[in-house]
Amino acid sequence: MSLTRSAEATASRTADSRWLELLARAGFLGYGLVHLLFAWLALQIAFGTSSDDGDQSGALRTLSEQPLGKFLVIATAIGLLAMAIWQALEAAVGHRAERGKERVTERLASAGRTIVYLYFAWTAFKVFKDASSNSADQQEALTGKLMTSSGGRWLVGLAGLVLAAIGVGLVIYGAVKRFEKHLKTGEMSPKTRMLARRLGMAGYIAKGVAYGIAGLLIIVAAVKYDPEKARGLDAALHTLREQSYGVFLLTLVALGIAAFGVYCFLQSRYRKV
């Protein structure tokens, strides 16, 4: 028992580290920049001018090609890693203001964010190391290997179901403005609070739509033994464009993702860390 308390105390002190807080806040800036570039790629897909992956890895590659791009990519990777550590500690010992099921839910959400931030940090590091292979093609190849067995096919379908559920969760999260509880709203002016609310709602709903479509495409790929359909966000955006009023709808999603990027900049200042 004493070892458990000691571990929790150490984790709590680490979570309260000033350096970790500063790195995590810097991570929000990098996360926001990646989403702005992601939105730009989505707009290019909407108007048929994209030549890169329409996802976060494509955004990071676009960033790496700019002046000081390599520095910005590795700085983003470090910030995202700090965000992952912070959320891992929150999952382990955090959210003490909540009680019962509410705390359990928040800790599980933090665990999910840890995985997301680690994935993006790893992707940024790969881009920094000039891993220029197409992520969509890699995903299709991996899906194809998994589908060679019935168990793998079920695993792909389950992954799609989880991704679709995340998409639905993001839409609800944004629609009910649940993100506001994690902001220092008391330090905001009324105009800033209203801006954060609108950006957060638009951003989370747009991301939810994109992830939801990507999840459904992966499920379809598993059902039809078609790995080509399981190409993640890039395929989701192209699929959305092909629908009636697709250019209009994809433009709205792109603007929503851009709104999330700007919201991340506000989080770097007002997020409770």
Side-chain angles (χ1 to χ4, degrees), residues 20-250:
L20 182 60
E21 177 183 344
L22 290 175
L23 285 172
R25 292 195 184 282
F28 276 116
L29 294 175
Y31 200 46
L33 181 58
V34 168
H35 278 81
L36 287 177
L37 289 170
F38 178 22
W40 171 243
L41 292 177
L43 279 176
Q44 289 183 305
I45 291 173
F47 294 99
T49 59
S50 175
S51 60
D52 208 340
D53 287 350
D55 57 13
Q56 290 91 339
S57 64
L60 284 163
R61 282 197 296 275
T62 300
L63 177 60
S64 71
E65 295 165 0
Q66 309 311 309
L68 297 178
K70 289 286 188 179
F71 169 78
L72 291 173
V73 168
I74 197 60
T76 297
I78 292 170
L80 288 168
L81 181 59
M83 291 168 69
I85 294 171
W86 158 52
Q87 283 299 302
L89 293 169
E90 287 287 279
V93 298
H95 303 292
R96 294 182 178 178
E98 285 83 14
R99 293 289 182 271
K101 292 182 179 180
E102 183 71 14
R103 189 185 182 203
V104 172
T105 300
E106 289 295 337
R107 291 174 73 180
L108 287 173
S110 287
R113 293 187 194 105
T114 300
I115 296 171
V116 171
Y117 295 150
L118 279 175
Y119 171 75
F120 287 135
W122 174 67
T123 301
F125 181 73
K126 284 203 308 178
V127 170
F128 177 76
K129 295 291 288 183
D130 290 322
S132 58
S133 57
N134 186 294
S135 63
D137 289 343
Q138 287 181 336
Q139 180 174 334
E140 184 181 338
L142 176 60
T143 304
K145 289 180 180 179
L146 286 172
M147 285 188 184
T148 57
S149 66
S150 59
R153 183 185 174 199
W154 279 103
L155 186 61
V156 170
L158 179 61
L161 188 62
V162 170
L163 190 58
I166 290 172
V168 173
L170 286 172
V171 170
I172 296 172
Y173 190 82
V176 302
K177 302 180 284 293
R178 190 176 179 82
F179 54 86
E180 285 189 309
K181 69 180 295 184
H182 298 296
L183 299 175
K184 298 177 181 178
T185 53
E187 298 181 10
M188 295 178 174
S189 67
K191 287 184 179 180
T192 301
R193 182 171 182 177
M194 180 58 68
L195 176 63
R197 176 178 294 172
R198 290 175 177 173
L199 290 172
M201 289 181 68
Y204 279 109
I205 290 173
K207 284 188 66 175
V209 169
Y211 279 107
I213 294 173
L216 289 175
L217 289 176
I218 292 173
I219 293 171
V220 169
V223 171
K224 295 186 176 182
Y225 288 93
D226 188 359
E228 189 174 344
K229 292 185 180 296
R231 294 170 64 93
L233 288 174
D234 182 65
L237 297 181
H238 279 91
T239 298
L240 184 58
R241 184 185 184 275
E242 293 165 3
Q243 308 310 307
S244 301
Y245 305 103
V247 173
F248 173 73
L249 294 173
L250 184 49

